[in-house]
C-alpha cells in the first residue's frame, strides 16, 4: 500500500488538521515529517475544538498508528502538555504513538536563541513563532543537535550542558544571556516523561507497515510557500515543507508515494513577515480576517489576509506533484459581492507572467485580478455538493481549469460534517 502525502499549498494555516482528521480513518498510520510546535492543527468535532502542535492528527482514532518522524523538531515540554490535554479528554494515546529516536530535541536554550536572534534582526524580523524551530534545525544541519534517542544515553545531562554552553556563547555574541534556569526543571521532567514513551527507529516501523500492505498518510505542517528552499526565503520556516520532505523526514522512498493532497484556502493568509503579493490592507482584508477568525492557532497573532493567488498555487502544485486539491473555508467568502482571483503578475514595463516571480522581482510587480461574482448566501448548512450555489461552483471550476488539478473537497465550515466531497 502507498504513502499519501498532505501538504499546505500556501503560507500555512490552510486547514490541514481538519482534512487529516477527515481522511485519517481510511489509513492505518498518520506520520508527521517536519516542523514542530510552530504548527497548530485545529480539529473540531462533537462541538469541541482541539489544537494539535506536535502530535499527529490521527490520534483521535484508536485504530491508527501515529508517528512523529525523524524530520520533526520536538519540544518535550510542549509535547507533554499536549498529551496531558488528550488524556484529560479521555483519549487513550499511549499505545498508538511512536516517536523517532532521530527527531531533534528542542531545548529551552533553542527557544531563547530564537528570541535573541529575532530581536537582533531589527526591522528584518522573520516573524518566527519563537518556538525554537530555526536554532534547532541549525544545530541539526551543523551536526551538533541532540536527538530524541539521546535522552536514553547515560551522559544525556552532559550532552545537554555542552549544548547549552555553546548556545550561551552564541547569545553572548548578541550581548545577551540565555536566562533559562527557571525552565530547566520542567524540561528535565518532560524528558523523563519522554523516556517512558515508545521511542523507536520509525523508518523501520513505517517501512514494515508498508511491507504488510498498510497505508500511511504523511501529514505536512506549515505550507509550501514557507519551504526552506522554495518558499519566500528568508521569510520561511527551517524545514522542507513540500512532499520531498516526507521522504527525508520519514525514511520513505519516493516510489512509495501515491496521492498528494494539496490544501488551499478559498482565499489566502499569511502570518509573520515576508512577501504576500495579494494581501489586502483595506476593509475587505479586515472582513476576511473577521469572517475567517484569522488569528494564529499557535501564537494568537492576527493573520494577514488577501485573495487567492494562482501563480503561487501553480508553483506549489508543481513542486509537490499535487493530485487533488482541497479547498478550505469557502464559507468565509459568503458575504462578498465579488471575489478576486490573481491570475498572473504584471511588471512596470507591461510584461506579464503566470509564474511566481522571485523575491526581488516581486517588489516591482503587481498582481492582476479577475473578478468573479460572490454567492451571497450561507454555506454552513450545506452537506450535499450538488446543492452548492452556482457562483461557488463557477469559482471552483475556474480554479480547476487554471490550476489543472481537480478540487475534490470543498470545506464550508469547521466541523467534520461540513466537508463536501466532489466526484
Ligand atoms: P518559525 O517556523 O517559527 O521559525 O517561523 C518562520 C515563519 O513561518 C514565520 O513567518 C511564521 O509565522 C511562519 N510559520 C511557522 N509555522 C507556521 C504555521 O504552522 N502556520 C503558519 N505560519 C507558520
Amino acid at each position: 500500500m502507498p504513502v499519501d502525502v498532505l501538504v499546505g499549498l500556501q503560507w500555512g494555516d490552510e486547514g490541514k488538521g481538519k482534512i487529516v482528521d477527515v481522511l485519517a480513518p481510511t489509513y492505518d498510520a498518520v506520520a508527521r515529517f517536519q516542523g514542530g510546535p510552530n504548527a497548530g492543527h485545529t480539529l473540531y468535532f462533537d462541538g469541541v475544538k482541539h489544537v494539535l502542535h506536535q502530535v499527529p492528527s490521527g490520534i483521535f482514532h484508536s485504530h491508527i498508528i501515529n508517528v512523529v518522524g525523524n524530520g520533526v523538531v520536538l519540544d518535550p515540554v510542549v509535547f507533554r502538555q499536549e498529551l496531558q490535554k488528550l488524556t484529560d479528554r479521555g483519549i487513550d494515546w499511549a499505545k498508538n504513538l511512536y516517536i523517532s529516536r532521530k527527531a531533534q530535541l528542542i531545548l529551552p536554550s533553542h527557544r531563547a536563541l530564537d528570541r535573541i536572534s529575532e530581536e537582533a534582526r531589527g526591522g528584518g524580523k522573520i516573524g518566527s513563532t519563537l518556538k525554537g524551530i530555526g536554532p534547532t534545525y541549525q544545530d541539526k544541519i551543523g551536526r551538533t543537535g541532540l536527538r530524541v534517542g539521546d535522552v536514553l544515553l547515560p551522559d544525556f545531562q552532559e550532552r545537554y550542558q555542552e549544548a547549552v554552553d555553546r548556545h550561551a556563547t552564541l547569545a553572548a555574541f548578541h550581548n545577551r544571556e540565555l536566562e533559562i534556569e527557571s525552565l530547566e526543571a520542567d524540561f528535565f521532567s518532560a524528558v523523563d516523561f519522554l523516556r517512558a514513551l515508545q521511542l523507536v527507529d520509525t523508518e523501520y516501523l513505517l517501512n514494515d507497515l508498508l511491507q504488510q500492505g498498510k497505508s500511511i498518510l504523511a501529514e505536512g505542517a506549515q505550507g509550501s510557500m514557507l519551504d526552506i528552499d522554495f518558499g519566500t526565503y528568508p521569510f520561511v520556516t527551517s524545514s522542507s515543507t513540500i512532499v520531498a520532505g516526507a521522504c527525508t523526514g520519514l525514511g520513505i522512498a519516493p516510489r512509495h508515494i501515491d496521492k498528494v493532497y494539496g490544501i488551499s484556502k478559498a482565499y489566502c493568509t499569511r502570518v509573520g513577515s515576508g512577501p504576500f503579493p495579494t494581501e489586502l490592507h483595506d476593509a475587505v482584508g479586515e472582513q476576511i480576517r473577521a469572517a475567517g477568525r484569522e488569528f494564529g492557532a499557535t501564537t494568537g497573532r492576527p493573520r494577514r489576509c488577501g485573495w487567492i493567488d494562482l501563480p503561487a498555487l501553480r508553483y506549489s502544485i508543481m513542486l509537490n506533484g499535487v493530485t487533488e486539491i482541497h479547498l478550505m473555508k469557502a464559507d468565509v467568502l459568503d458575504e462578498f459581492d465579488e471575489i478576486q482571483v490573481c491570475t498572473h503578475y504584471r511588471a512596470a514595463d507591461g510584461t506579464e507572467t503566470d509564474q511566481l516571480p522571485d523575491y526581488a522581482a516581486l517588489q516591482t510587480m503587481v498582481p492582476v485580478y479577475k473578478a468573479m461574482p460572490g454567492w451571497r448566501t450561507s454555506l454552513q448548512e450545506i452537506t450535499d455538493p450538488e446543492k452548492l450555489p452556482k457562483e461557488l461552483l463557477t469559482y471552483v471550476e475556474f480554479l480547476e481549469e487554471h490550476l489543472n488539478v481537480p478540487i475534490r473537497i470543498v470545506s464550508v465550515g469547521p466541523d467534520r460534517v461540513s466537508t463536501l466531497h466532489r466526484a
Side-chain angles (χ1 to χ4, degrees):
M1 289 283 271
V3 181
D4 295 339
V5 188
L6 179 141
V7 288
L9 298 181
Q10 298 169 310
W11 281 277
D13 309 316
E14 297 92 350
K16 297 179 291 295
K18 174 182 168 175
I19 290 296
V20 187
D21 183 50
V22 168
L23 298 178
T26 60
Y27 288 89
D28 299 302
V30 175
R32 286 277 308 267
F33 57 88
Q34 44 74 229
N38 49 349
H41 290 179
T42 307
L43 301 85
Y44 288 87
F45 52 88
D46 302 335
V48 184
K49 176 178 174 182
H50 305 264
V51 183
L52 296 175
H53 299 287
Q54 302 175 104
V55 176
S57 302
I59 203 73
F60 300 103
H61 304 273
S62 58
H63 71 281
I64 296 177
I65 291 177
N66 287 274
V67 174
V68 176
N70 56 280
V72 167
V73 287
L74 188 85
D75 184 327
V77 176
V78 179
F79 200 50
R80 180 176 57 174
Q81 281 165 1
E82 273 190 85
L83 292 172
Q84 186 56 52
K85 262 194 198 144
L86 292 173
T87 303
D88 295 346
R89 289 178 174 182
I91 312 288
D92 181 13
W93 47 264
K95 78 174 188 333
N96 286 339
L97 181 63
Y98 296 86
I99 300 119
S100 170
R101 291 176 185 232
K102 297 184 176 69
Q104 294 281 320
L105 275 182
I106 302 180
L107 311 182
S109 46
H110 285 128
R111 294 179 75 129
L113 282 180
D114 212 359
R115 204 181 49 248
I116 291 167
S117 57
E118 267 289 74
E119 281 166 16
R121 283 174 184 269
K125 287 192 193 349
I126 304 292
S128 158
T129 60
L130 304 180
K131 303 291 178 193
I133 307 296
T136 308
Y137 277 117
Q138 274 173 32
D139 272 357
K140 172 179 177 172
I141 301 302
R143 296 164 295 182
T144 50
L146 290 182
R147 308 208 286 188
V148 165
D150 294 342
V151 302
L152 303 171
L153 299 175
D155 63 347
F156 176 69
Q157 174 82 39
E158 288 146 51
R159 288 168 186 247
Y160 168 85
Q161 200 51 54
E162 274 171 26
V164 171
D165 291 347
R166 204 164 22 79
H167 293 158
T169 59
L170 294 173
F173 176 74
H174 294 291
N175 294 318
R176 296 285 301 275
E177 289 186 10
L178 294 172
E179 297 172 4
I180 55 166
E181 294 73 15
S182 62
L183 305 173
E184 290 188 308
D186 203 25
F187 173 76
F188 278 103
S189 85
V191 166
D192 283 340
F193 173 84
L194 190 61
R195 275 192 196 104
L197 305 185
Q198 305 185 88
L199 312 182
V200 302
D201 290 323
T202 50
E203 61 278 28
Y204 278 114
L205 171 77
L206 291 165
N207 281 286
D208 284 350
L209 287 173
L210 288 176
Q211 288 245 311
Q212 293 162 29
K214 310 269 190 207
S215 59
I216 298 171
L217 179 64
E219 174 184 12
Q222 290 82 50
S224 305
M225 301 309 297
L226 288 171
D227 181 79
I228 185 71
D229 286 283
F230 299 105
T232 43
Y233 193 89
F235 301 100
V236 292
T237 191
S238 300
S239 63
S240 290
T241 59
I242 60 171
V243 167
C247 294
T248 55
L250 295 176
I252 279 174
R255 71 184 171 86
H256 291 301
I257 292 177
D258 186 20
K259 287 190 197 140
V260 177
Y261 306 113
I263 316 301
S264 169
K265 280 177 181 159
Y267 50 96
C268 195
T269 64
R270 171 163 203 170
V271 60
S273 332
F276 179 5
T278 60
E279 181 172 12
L280 292 160
H281 297 279
D282 56 9
V284 179
E286 287 291 337
Q287 195 183 342
I288 295 178
R289 185 175 306 116
R293 291 180 295 282
E294 292 295 355
F295 297 89
T298 299
T299 58
R301 291 180 290 178
R303 295 182 184 136
R304 300 156 64 191
C305 297
W307 298 117
I308 204 160
D309 178 337
L310 297 189
L313 279 179
R314 272 193 293 267
Y315 186 60
S316 295
I317 289 166
M318 174 185 81
L319 297 171
N320 289 295
V322 172
T323 57
E324 62 184 81
I325 294 173
H326 299 169
L327 194 69
M328 310 304 291
K329 298 185 89 164
D331 54 303
V332 171
L333 302 179
D334 281 355
E335 303 285 318
F336 289 84
D337 290 327
E338 232 174 34
I339 291 160
Q340 308 281 343
V341 181
C342 166
T343 51
H344 52 284
Y345 290 95
R346 186 176 297 134
D349 66 3
T351 51
E352 293 188 343
T353 177
D354 61 5
Q355 296 193 345
L356 183 68
D358 68 25
Y359 184 24
L362 262 182
Q363 319 292 317
T364 62
M365 300 190 95
V366 289
V368 180
Y369 293 100
K370 174 175 170 57
M372 307 207 50
W375 40 94
R376 300 280 312 166
T377 177
S378 171
L379 303 177
Q380 288 264 356
E381 302 300 318
I382 300 179
T383 51
D384 176 358
E386 301 292 317
K387 306 247 164 73
L388 288 171
K390 74 171 186 334
E391 293 85 354
L392 173 55
L393 289 175
T394 307
Y395 182 56
V396 167
E397 282 158 16
F398 181 85
L399 298 181
E400 282 180 320
E401 189 190 329
H402 286 79
L403 297 172
N404 213 12
V405 180
I407 296 180
R408 290 267 185 256
I409 285 181
V410 179
S411 174
V412 295
D415 203 277
R416 275 178 186 166
V417 294
S418 308
T419 313
L420 310 189
H421 295 258
R422 297 176 72 236

